[in-house]
Amino acid sequence: MQWVKVLGGVVGAAALLGLGIIVGHFAIPKGADSPAPSASASQDLDLKILETVIEQLDANRIRENLRELSKEPHLATTPRDEALVQLLLQRWQDPESGLDSARTTEYEVLLSFPSGEQPNRVAVVNSTGAILFSCRHSEENLTGEQGGPNVVPPYAAYAPPGTPQGPLVYANQGSEEDFKELQNKGVKLQDSIVLTRYGGVGRGAKAVNAAKYGVAGVLVYTDPKDINDGKSLPNETFPHSWCLPPSGVERGSYFEYFGDPLTPYLPAMPSSFRLNSDNASGFPPIPIQPIGFEDAQVLLCQVNVSVHNRLELRNSSNVLGIIRGAVEPDRYVLYGNHRDSWVHGAVDPSTGTAVLLELSRVLGTLLKKGTWRPRRSIVFASWGAEEFGLIGSTEFTEEFFSKLQERAVAYINVDISVFANATLRVQGTPPIQSVVFSAAKQISAPGSSGLSIYDNWIRYYNRSSSVYGLVPSVGTLGAGSDYAPFIHFLGISSMDIAYTYDRSKTSARIYPTYHTAFDTFDYVDKFLDPGFSSHQAVARTAGSVLLRLSDSLFLPLNVSDYSETLRSFLQAAEDLRVLLEQHGISLGPLVTAVERFEGAATAFNQRIATLREGTPDPLQVRMINDQLMLLERTFLNSQAFPEERYYSHVLWAPRTGSVATFPGLSNAYSQAKNTGHEPAAWAEVQRQLSIVVAALEGAAATLRPVADL
Amino acid sequence: MQWVKVLGGVVGAAALLGLGIIVGHFAIPKGADSPAPSASASQDLDLKILETVIEQLDANRIRENLRELSKEPHLATTPRDEALVQLLLQRWQDPESGLDSARTTEYEVLLSFPSGEQPNRVAVVNSTGAILFSCRHSEENLTGEQGGPNVVPPYAAYAPPGTPQGPLVYANQGSEEDFKELQNKGVKLQDSIVLTRYGGVGRGAKAVNAAKYGVAGVLVYTDPKDINDGKSLPNETFPHSWCLPPSGVERGSYFEYFGDPLTPYLPAMPSSFRLNSDNASGFPPIPIQPIGFEDAQVLLCQVNVSVHNRLELRNSSNVLGIIRGAVEPDRYVLYGNHRDSWVHGAVDPSTGTAVLLELSRVLGTLLKKGTWRPRRSIVFASWGAEEFGLIGSTEFTEEFFSKLQERAVAYINVDISVFANATLRVQGTPPIQSVVFSAAKQISAPGSSGLSIYDNWIRYYNRSSSVYGLVPSVGTLGAGSDYAPFIHFLGISSMDIAYTYDRSKTSARIYPTYHTAFDTFDYVDKFLDPGFSSHQAVARTAGSVLLRLSDSLFLPLNVSDYSETLRSFLQAAEDLRVLLEQHGISLGPLVTAVERFEGAATAFNQRIATLREGTPDPLQVRMINDQLMLLERTFLNSQAFPEERYYSHVLWAPRTGSVATFPGLSNAYSQAKNTGHEPAAWAEVQRQLSIVVAALEGAAATLRPVADL
């Protein structure tokens, strides 16, 4: 059965539009034990300790962690989520393998749940309103883990309640273009129910786009072509393969922003000011409900959708564990992942938490034995309510804004640690490339290839660097997991580390059981990573990166690696030059600013090299490290994107324009071109250009010798 | 002649309204010479060096500096202003007494000047339009210094051009209340010209307020009661006394914000994005023109005002000079003043620049001799175009935002160094109180009292501290001089230092020739500070503060002194409690936050005391100093006051509400009370309260042991 054809034939109009990919995923790591010798101020990374740590990271312990973590569904703020808070506290306070201290921080946040009494319903009705067919209320209980009161029924978190009814229209991915095309073809959208498939645009965007055309309600299904490489029959899907069963439904948050919806920019303390939920923005404007492809294929004619979701204020906890730095306790290397899942969440996020716990165990054990204490402080974090929109991590950055802005060296995120077994995949800002490469070169890749993780990686994802030649390609950070508030709101160098697919073998948008009740321990154990060697590889890579960041005398961040990004953005901007100049806008200052950054970064690296040759005193090292740490902050501008909540990084804000240049410039340029060349729109292009130039000049100034004028 | 009565009788309505004081003033310091011994990382302030510096600060050299600086008018960006740029560069590059390096930074900024061809005019006309009387176009040339092409005629900078005509109405200080009262009394304001006196509200606010009532044009005069303790006759005013002559006119900027009007939040580089001046906000909405009291008293009936001011883009320079720190070159103690004046500007700003040059000479000489080099870097700055709205300093903070935010220890402003001879007067944030007190106790007050500056000060301005008993009172920082962008935009601990009045002897709003052509060298030499001993006292005090900040092992900032401020704000907030609680708003979290700050600050000071007893290593000291330096930053919140350009300090933003508590809370509370208790207005009260609580909790977190969770 060809899925797209069926749908295309029965329902509708735009089924042949492009196949898109959205990734909104998430994961944890594992633990260590006792106080250690007071390191000297000029002590560098101890390679023996590093080897010991890598050696001791145990695949089987990760597997046991995962089994425990994913034993029960642990939706944010439910009793099992709270039980895992206690589990983390217990591990991090263990006398043999715990950290220096651990505690929780609790926030009162607005979550959204299906009603306990009135299940959400999707039904086909005839002209008298009689029900001809009803979609499933829950997934099929294939392994005994899909039933029970703790499996939250499929729903779209933050979708408003409502019971719209109308003719069904297939709207592809629900993008702006999809609706425009339907309208152009004369398809009536007013008062219809549209059926969309996951992918292409964000979840909430489908409802936002639909509402503009008067659509009454939206359904979202997972297309087998997008998730299962086309497989859709029961005997070729889970539990017979890693593929999503016909009844599987992807849950998810449909909130447009991140953080607690009622307390933007403020920590969600019980006493904090809260927006009235009627005034809060970012919720889907119309009812929306996800369904499985089993149901999607039989929908037709008049459809009735009943959504009974409710907003609820809930207490959600983060768990924080710290290892105090021996030399520079006021410098923090953060390592985190979320804890909450949609159902059992074995892959998302427990593969990450299992790694987190193993890593904290190994480090904690060395600590408690007195073998080791890091130069800088290490902060482990287990975030709450990530699935609802990175809520725990965002509230944390709001509560400790100043402290983090002043002291955080880097943030390492390991959410889903294993998507698949093929290769390492890293997203991050350019300065973290070098430390990730160093770590990846040192560790063997899983399997029998005999290659290092680095050499294996380069086979799957690579690019030609003007500086280094062929290297693995490090991706950019969107807002798919808890790194988002760290990089976009606080300007902290961040990264996300995982093992992932061989793209020649699958085009799945993401691992098939993502956010469904089929994401269970056995799924990981049988299909994703039998033997847990990929988990171990991620633990070792992330652990090595963590130790290098916490223990190296000079921070292993290479600021010069930003130059390649800036050059590529600049090169893309050259395509805009003609039209910009027609509007009196010169790229000259941008060219100069990029050159100045490059010059300052190169000279800065030379000064570090010279210092390394001598015996730099501790304050000299500290000053250099402050420049390294704070470079990322210089790219923030709180005035740059007033409409984009939290986004202030002028290089990594969301880019909606088609030109792969600085996002503010790209977006303003697209806007100016699309709005008939209004002067105000071109003024905004110039403003965005000036913001980038000021940021780059400020970044260059930060890297110059500190007493230069 | 009783001035107020004359005016009250002849012109109008509201002459008996309260007498207000506005101060919008401004001032510089002086120089030092050669490279010095490499200090050890644990070296503390050298008291012998400090004594040497204080000893060498020479009153006569300050006097000679002042003579040179105020020899010619040096309005911003004019040739004489540029000549002073060269003078400063020359001094700071002198081989014997210069600094390590010096350079200029230039910005292209929007200034406002009277037309060269069409003088602004204020005339009384009869019903046929015939001129019965014309106000002076310039001040009377009493000393030979009030004539010539370089004396800019009196005008209101940034007032729009226009030639309104209408009946004259006296509107007191032109406050909102003044206009309301006139309207209540049935005085017709529509299409009138109002005559206002300086004081009470800001300059531009008079035009903003007037325009709301349909007023066509505004005149502003200086009332002898406000400025001359009532004296108004030629033989009792300058050059016979320090009083303002009848023809004297206060010039000034009527721009509502500060910084270059066309490039808010961006450095005014030639290539920077600029608002169209038609879209720029903050300019007076209607023509406005200042006049002397000589003219003000004869105005009546129909008045015609012709304003021909023009906006011009000009290049304005800052001059920066640096002494590289021996141990922590990446920590900056800034000391600055503006250079530009309205006319000769002997008092404003050259009394400050004369001190700046003497201080930089003494320090430069020690440097060039090899006797001394500070622990931290010292940055001397001569700002351009301050009179037009703190433009040079603001653009500087925009250009070097990140660098300054990360590295600036404190900013010392000495604008007008001597208003009068009676006493020291300091404005600043609480943590600078202790270092100023230490400096003031060490230096003898001018005159024969035998008292220290501190003991003399306490006789004039004092308060009862709950912690220290009777102490001199340190004032708060508004936006009257170049410290404004440092404290409000960047959150850098700042202060303004001067010698000032005995308030039992004069109630002058400010020294009488302020912003007039009578502010000349002889005026200072004869009336303000014969012998220049007050100048010397300010040089010594500011010099001692500078050296203590640059050379002390532990930064001499006492964060605990913020507790008294917070307590007083909290106490004032208690008056709001009943009404707040009626609207469901609790002060509980604020009380807790203040207590937590107090506790954290006290414990922090104890840790410093303990460290001082031992032999702390350089990194321990650095970590403590980072906490001291960055505390002030934790009070910034860029979301707090979206309507208030640059203001982001939640404790020192402008307070328009009448309750002396946290400004955001006070303002929102007033607004809620005045707007008939709308729910949205009370929501804003709660939002502002949450912002303060989050800031105080963040501040407390920053002071806690750095590896505490």
Side-chain angles (χ1 to χ4, degrees):
Chain A
M1 183 174 71
Q2 279 187 288
W3 192 250
V4 169
K5 275 201 183 160
V6 171
L7 272 175
V10 175
V11 183
L16 297 174
L17 297 178
L19 182 106
I21 293 173
I22 55 161
V23 186
H25 50 264
F26 326 92
I28 60 180
K30 168 125 205 292
D33 15 76
S34 67
S38 148
S40 110
S42 53
Q43 165 83 51
D44 205 345
L45 175 69
D46 182 334
L47 292 174
K48 281 206 185 124
I49 290 282
L50 180 57
E51 274 171 42
T52 303
V53 169
I54 289 173
E55 185 58 38
Q56 293 183 353
L57 289 164
D58 188 286
N60 201 48
R61 284 181 186 266
I62 298 175
R63 182 170 181 269
E64 290 312 310
N65 287 338
L66 185 67
R67 188 200 297 276
E68 179 65 22
L69 291 165
S70 61
K71 194 169 69 178
E72 300 287 343
H74 49 285
L75 187 63
T77 74
T78 58
R80 179 62 184 168
D81 184 35
E82 279 305 304
L84 291 184
V85 167
Q86 296 309 316
L87 180 150
L88 280 146
L89 279 177
Q90 199 187 351
R91 296 278 185 103
W92 290 349
Q93 291 169 345
D94 186 280
E96 314 270 285
S97 64
L99 313 177
D100 286 321
S101 62
R103 71 152 168 135
T104 63
T105 62
E106 197 176 76
Y107 303 101
E108 189 178 282
V109 300
L110 189 76
L111 305 184
S112 160
F113 300 97
S115 158
E117 301 78 45
Q118 290 181 280
N120 293 350
R121 194 193 70 177
V122 176
V124 179
V125 294
N126 69 12
S127 55
T128 69
I131 294 177
L132 304 177
F133 170 80
S134 256
C135 290
R136 310 183 61 94
H137 292 171
S138 59
E139 288 139 313
E140 191 174 358
N141 195 345
L142 294 174
T143 69
E145 291 162 300
Q146 288 75 44
N150 297 327
V151 174
V152 74
Y155 74 114
Y158 298 109
T163 55
Q165 179 169 317
L168 190 70
V169 176
Y170 179 68
N172 195 37
Q173 294 181 317
S175 69
E176 285 188 48
E177 294 68 36
D178 290 335
F179 286 106
K180 214 171 287 170
E181 184 160 340
L182 287 171
Q183 192 183 42
N184 291 344
K185 289 188 169 162
V187 176
K188 184 169 178 286
L189 289 165
Q190 184 72 37
D191 300 325
S192 69
I193 304 294
V194 299
L195 176 63
T196 62
R197 63 190 168 95
Y198 270 120
V201 298
R203 298 188 190 100
K206 295 173 197 289
V208 170
N209 295 335
K212 289 181 189 149
Y213 291 85
V215 169
V218 180
L219 301 175
V220 193
Y221 79 100
T222 305
D223 194 297
K225 184 149 199 297
D226 297 335
I227 203 82
N228 282 352
D229 293 311
K231 300 220 167 45
S232 63
L233 300 176
N235 67 1
E236 54 187 12
T237 56
F238 184 77
H240 309 288
S241 80
W242 86 325
C243 289
L244 182 68
S247 71
V249 184
E250 179 181 323
R251 294 153 185 78
S253 173
Y254 285 64
F255 178 50
E256 187 180 343
Y257 307 121
F258 52 88
D260 173 43
L262 299 187
T263 60
Y265 296 105
L266 286 170
M269 301 305 175
S271 67
S272 280
F273 166 68
R274 286 184 164 67
L275 296 168
N276 186 309
S277 62
D278 298 340
N279 298 340
S281 56
F283 297 145
I286 52 178
I288 182 165
Q289 174 70 16
I291 59 176
F293 59 83
E294 175 185 81
D295 286 333
Q297 70 181 309
V298 299
L299 290 182
L300 71 176
C301 311
Q302 193 80 355
V303 172
N304 178 294
V305 181
S306 302
V307 173
H308 300 289
N309 298 343
R310 293 187 304 205
L311 297 170
E312 289 183 41
L313 275 180
R314 293 283 191 99
N315 292 322
S316 172
S317 295
N318 295 331
V319 190
L320 303 173
I322 198 162
I323 301 177
R324 194 181 65 255
V327 180
E328 296 183 277
D330 67 340
R331 291 296 175 258
Y332 311 145
V333 182
L334 297 119
Y335 182 118
N337 178 31
H338 68 105
R339 185 185 58 253
D340 65 305
S341 60
W342 282 112
V343 192
H344 295 77
V347 181
D348 179 5
S350 304
T351 53
T353 311
V355 166
L356 169 71
L357 284 172
E358 174 61 0
L359 184 55
S360 63
R361 180 194 68 84
V362 170
L363 295 182
T365 304
L366 292 172
L367 186 75
K368 296 292 187 190
K369 276 191 187 148
T371 314
W372 165 84
R373 177 172 289 286
R375 177 184 182 87
R376 305 180 182 87
S377 294
I378 293 175
V379 181
F380 287 108
S382 168
W383 312 118
E386 187 264 11
E387 294 293 8
F388 287 81
L390 324 181
I391 291 181
S393 55
T394 302
E395 299 307 312
F396 174 77
T397 60
E398 290 171 340
E399 181 175 3
F400 297 105
F401 183 84
S402 298
K403 223 167 133 163
L404 294 170
Q405 197 181 43
E406 292 159 4
R407 303 180 190 158
V409 164
Y411 174 65
I412 304 167
N413 197 67
V414 180
D415 185 337
I416 296 170
S417 66
V418 178
F419 290 86
N421 273 312
T423 174
L424 191 71
R425 185 234 58 196
V426 177
Q427 301 167 331
T429 61
I432 63 95
Q433 175 180 278
S434 57
V435 64
V436 171
F437 284 3
S438 298
K441 283 175 181 168
Q442 182 199 13
I443 305 160
S444 300
S448 54
S449 69
L451 296 175
S452 68
I453 285 182
Y454 179 94
D455 289 330
N456 181 62
W457 183 12
I458 209 170
R459 292 167 56 204
Y460 289 94
Y461 294 97
N462 57 60
R463 68 182 178 95
S464 180
S465 155
S466 59
V467 182
Y468 306 104
L470 198 71
V471 290
S473 62
V474 170
T476 59
L477 294 167
S481 187
D482 293 299
Y483 50 75
F486 291 92
I487 182 62
H488 298 302
F489 181 42
L490 275 166
I492 294 167
S493 295
S494 298
M495 70 199 85
D496 186 79
I497 302 176
Y499 238 70
T500 194
Y501 319 99
D502 176 348
R503 277 295 174 203
S504 72
K505 296 201 176 141
T506 176
S507 65
R509 194 165 53 75
I510 189 167
Y511 72 95
T513 63
Y514 171 71
H515 285 198
T516 72
F518 304 103
D519 178 353
T520 53
F521 176 76
D522 283 349
Y523 184 80
V524 178
D525 200 38
K526 284 187 190 151
F527 300 113
L528 234 56
D529 190 21
F532 281 71
S533 58
S534 293
H535 282 78
Q536 187 179 41
V538 170
R540 287 174 166 176
T541 306
S544 177
V545 169
L546 176 63
L547 222 63
R548 288 163 187 274
L549 284 163
S550 65
D551 281 13
S552 297
L553 184 61
F554 288 95
L555 283 173
L557 298 170
N558 186 352
V559 297
S560 230
D561 284 342
Y562 248 124
S563 297
E564 265 192 271
T565 306
L566 299 181
R567 273 285 152 198
S568 95
F569 282 5
L570 183 60
Q571 199 177 332
E574 288 294 343
D575 292 347
L576 319 180
R577 185 183 279 272
V578 174
L579 202 49
L580 288 176
E581 286 179 354
Q582 281 174 19
H583 288 85
I585 300 169
S586 164
L587 285 177
L590 182 63
V591 174
T592 306
V594 170
E595 285 167 357
R596 286 200 183 133
F597 179 88
E598 286 173 338
T602 303
F604 178 71
N605 277 354
Q606 280 163 357
R607 288 200 303 284
I608 296 179
T610 307
L611 269 180
R612 276 185 192 281
E613 284 165 18
T615 48
D617 72 47
L619 281 176
Q620 284 181 301
V621 176
R622 171 90 171 192
M623 287 185 264
I624 290 287
N625 283 339
D626 278 0
Q627 290 174 280
L628 287 164
M629 172 176 80
L630 294 169
L631 175 72
E632 200 81 50
R633 300 311 184 268
T634 67
F635 295 119
L636 297 192
N637 183 327
S638 65
Q639 304 289 323
F641 315 108
E643 306 300 315
E644 300 276 7
R645 190 177 291 177
Y646 300 120
Y647 287 101
S648 57
H649 198 300
V650 304
L651 304 178
W652 306 119
R655 187 166 60 72
T656 52
S658 56
V659 181
T661 185
F662 303 92
L665 176 62
S666 179
N667 301 349
Y669 179 89
S670 282
Q671 185 75 7
K673 270 185 72 177
N674 295 342
T675 56
H677 297 280
E678 284 171 28
W682 287 104
E684 177 63 10
V685 175
Q686 175 68 72
R687 191 182 82 93
Q688 289 293 342
L689 192 59
S690 288
I691 284 169
V692 169
V693 169
L696 299 186
E697 293 281 3
T702 287
L703 294 181
R704 292 208 185 92
V706 293
D708 272 13
L709 279 175
Chain B
M1 186 174 69
Q2 280 186 289
W3 191 247
V4 170
K5 275 202 184 159
V6 171
L7 272 175
V10 174
V11 181
L16 298 175
L17 298 179
L19 181 107
I21 291 172
I22 56 160
V23 185
H25 50 265
F26 325 92
I28 58 184
K30 171 129 205 290
D33 20 70
S34 66
S38 148
S40 109
S42 53
Q43 165 81 53
D44 205 345
L45 175 70
D46 182 334
L47 293 173
K48 280 203 184 130
I49 291 282
L50 180 58
E51 273 171 43
T52 305
V53 169
I54 289 174
E55 186 58 38
Q56 292 183 355
L57 289 164
D58 187 285
N60 200 48
R61 283 181 186 266
I62 298 175
R63 181 171 182 268
E64 290 312 309
N65 287 339
L66 185 67
R67 189 200 299 277
E68 179 65 22
L69 290 165
S70 62
K71 194 168 69 179
E72 298 287 344
H74 49 286
L75 186 64
T77 72
T78 59
R80 179 61 185 169
D81 183 37
E82 279 305 303
L84 291 185
V85 167
Q86 296 309 315
L87 179 149
L88 279 146
L89 279 178
Q90 201 186 352
R91 295 278 185 102
W92 290 349
Q93 291 170 345
D94 187 279
E96 313 269 284
S97 62
L99 313 177
D100 286 320
S101 62
R103 71 151 169 136
T104 62
T105 61
E106 198 176 75
Y107 303 100
E108 189 178 281
V109 300
L110 189 76
L111 305 185
S112 159
F113 300 98
S115 157
E117 302 79 45
Q118 289 181 281
N120 293 351
R121 193 193 71 176
V122 176
V124 178
V125 295
N126 68 11
S127 56
T128 68
I131 293 178
L132 305 177
F133 169 80
S134 254
C135 289
R136 309 183 61 93
H137 292 170
S138 59
E139 288 138 314
E140 190 174 0
N141 195 343
L142 294 174
T143 68
E145 292 162 299
Q146 289 74 42
N150 297 328
V151 175
V152 73
Y155 75 114
Y158 298 109
T163 56
Q165 179 170 317
L168 190 70
V169 176
Y170 179 69
N172 194 38
Q173 294 181 318
S175 69
E176 285 189 49
E177 293 70 34
D178 291 336
F179 286 106
K180 214 171 288 171
E181 184 161 339
L182 286 171
Q183 192 183 42
N184 291 344
K185 287 186 169 162
V187 177
K188 183 169 178 285
L189 290 167
Q190 185 70 37
D191 299 326
S192 70
I193 305 293
V194 299
L195 176 62
T196 61
R197 63 189 168 95
Y198 269 121
V201 299
R203 299 187 190 101
K206 296 173 197 287
V208 170
N209 296 335
K212 289 180 190 151
Y213 291 86
V215 169
V218 180
L219 302 175
V220 193
Y221 79 100
T222 305
D223 194 298
K225 184 147 198 298
D226 296 337
I227 203 82
N228 282 353
D229 292 311
K231 300 220 166 46
S232 64
L233 300 176
N235 67 2
E236 54 189 13
T237 56
F238 185 77
H240 308 290
S241 80
W242 86 325
C243 288
L244 182 68
S247 71
V249 183
E250 179 182 322
R251 294 154 185 78
S253 173
Y254 284 64
F255 178 50
E256 188 181 342
Y257 308 121
F258 51 89
D260 173 42
L262 299 187
T263 61
Y265 296 104
L266 286 170
M269 301 305 175
S271 67
S272 280
F273 165 69
R274 287 185 162 67
L275 296 169
N276 186 311
S277 63
D278 298 340
N279 298 341
S281 56
F283 297 146
I286 52 178
I288 182 165
Q289 172 71 16
I291 59 175
F293 59 83
E294 176 185 80
D295 286 334
Q297 69 181 310
V298 300
L299 290 182
L300 71 178
C301 311
Q302 193 80 354
V303 172
N304 178 294
V305 181
S306 303
V307 173
H308 301 288
N309 297 343
R310 295 188 302 206
L311 296 171
E312 289 183 41
L313 274 180
R314 293 283 191 96
N315 292 323
S316 173
S317 294
N318 294 330
V319 191
L320 303 173
I322 198 162
I323 301 177
R324 194 182 64 256
V327 180
E328 296 182 277
D330 66 341
R331 290 296 175 258
Y332 310 145
V333 182
L334 297 121
Y335 182 118
N337 178 33
H338 68 105
R339 184 185 59 253
D340 64 306
S341 59
W342 282 111
V343 193
H344 295 77
V347 182
D348 180 6
S350 304
T351 53
T353 312
V355 166
L356 169 72
L357 284 172
E358 175 60 1
L359 183 55
S360 63
R361 180 194 67 84
V362 169
L363 296 182
T365 304
L366 291 173
L367 186 76
K368 296 292 188 191
K369 276 190 184 149
T371 313
W372 165 85
R373 177 173 289 285
R375 177 184 182 88
R376 304 180 181 87
S377 294
I378 292 175
V379 181
F380 287 108
S382 168
W383 311 119
E386 187 265 9
E387 295 292 8
F388 288 80
L390 323 181
I391 291 181
S393 55
T394 302
E395 299 307 312
F396 173 77
T397 59
E398 289 170 340
E399 182 174 4
F400 298 104
F401 183 84
S402 297
K403 219 166 136 165
L404 293 169
Q405 198 181 42
E406 291 159 5
R407 302 179 191 160
V409 164
Y411 175 65
I412 304 167
N413 196 66
V414 181
D415 184 339
I416 297 171
S417 67
V418 179
F419 290 87
N421 274 311
T423 175
L424 191 71
R425 186 235 57 196
V426 177
Q427 301 166 331
T429 59
I432 63 94
Q433 174 180 279
S434 56
V435 64
V436 171
F437 283 3
S438 299
K441 283 175 180 168
Q442 182 199 15
I443 305 160
S444 300
S448 55
S449 69
L451 296 175
S452 70
I453 285 182
Y454 180 94
D455 289 330
N456 180 64
W457 183 13
I458 208 170
R459 291 167 55 205
Y460 290 94
Y461 294 98
N462 58 60
R463 70 180 177 98
S464 180
S465 155
S466 58
V467 182
Y468 305 105
L470 197 73
V471 290
S473 62
V474 171
T476 57
L477 294 167
S481 187
D482 293 300
Y483 50 76
F486 291 93
I487 182 62
H488 297 301
F489 181 43
L490 275 166
I492 293 168
S493 295
S494 298
M495 71 199 86
D496 186 79
I497 301 176
Y499 238 69
T500 194
Y501 319 101
D502 177 349
R503 278 290 174 206
S504 72
K505 295 197 176 144
T506 177
S507 65
R509 194 165 53 76
I510 188 167
Y511 72 94
T513 63
Y514 171 72
H515 286 196
T516 73
F518 303 105
D519 178 353
T520 53
F521 176 76
D522 283 347
Y523 184 79
V524 177
D525 200 36
K526 284 186 189 154
F527 301 113
L528 234 57
D529 189 22
F532 280 71
S533 58
S534 294
H535 281 78
Q536 188 180 40
V538 170
R540 287 175 166 176
T541 307
S544 177
V545 169
L546 177 62
L547 224 62
R548 288 165 188 272
L549 284 164
S550 65
D551 281 13
S552 297
L553 184 60
F554 288 95
L555 283 175
L557 299 170
N558 186 351
V559 297
S560 229
D561 285 342
Y562 247 124
S563 297
E564 265 193 271
T565 306
L566 299 182
R567 274 282 152 198
S568 94
F569 282 6
L570 183 60
Q571 200 177 332
E574 288 294 342
D575 292 347
L576 318 181
R577 186 184 279 272
V578 173
L579 203 49
L580 288 176
E581 287 180 354
Q582 281 175 18
H583 289 84
I585 300 169
S586 164
L587 284 177
L590 183 63
V591 173
T592 305
V594 169
E595 285 166 359
R596 286 200 183 134
F597 179 88
E598 286 173 337
T602 303
F604 179 70
N605 277 354
Q606 280 163 356
R607 288 200 303 283
I608 296 179
T610 306
L611 269 180
R612 276 184 192 282
E613 283 165 20
T615 48
D617 73 46
L619 280 177
Q620 284 181 300
V621 176
R622 171 89 170 194
M623 286 185 263
I624 290 285
N625 284 339
D626 278 1
Q627 289 174 281
L628 287 163
M629 173 176 79
L630 294 170
L631 176 71
E632 200 80 50
R633 293 321 177 265
T634 67
F635 295 120
L636 296 192
N637 183 328
S638 65
Q639 304 290 321
F641 315 109
E643 306 299 316
E644 300 275 8
R645 190 177 291 177
Y646 299 121
Y647 287 101
S648 55
H649 198 300
V650 304
L651 303 178
W652 306 119
R655 187 166 59 72
T656 52
S658 56
V659 181
T661 186
F662 303 92
L665 176 62
S666 179
N667 300 349
Y669 179 88
S670 284
Q671 185 75 8
K673 269 185 71 177
N674 295 341
T675 56
H677 297 280
E678 283 171 31
W682 287 105
E684 177 63 10
V685 175
Q686 175 68 71
R687 191 182 82 95
Q688 289 293 343
L689 193 59
S690 289
I691 284 169
V692 170
V693 169
L696 299 187
E697 293 280 3
T702 287
L703 294 181
R704 292 208 185 93
V706 294
D708 272 15
L709 278 175

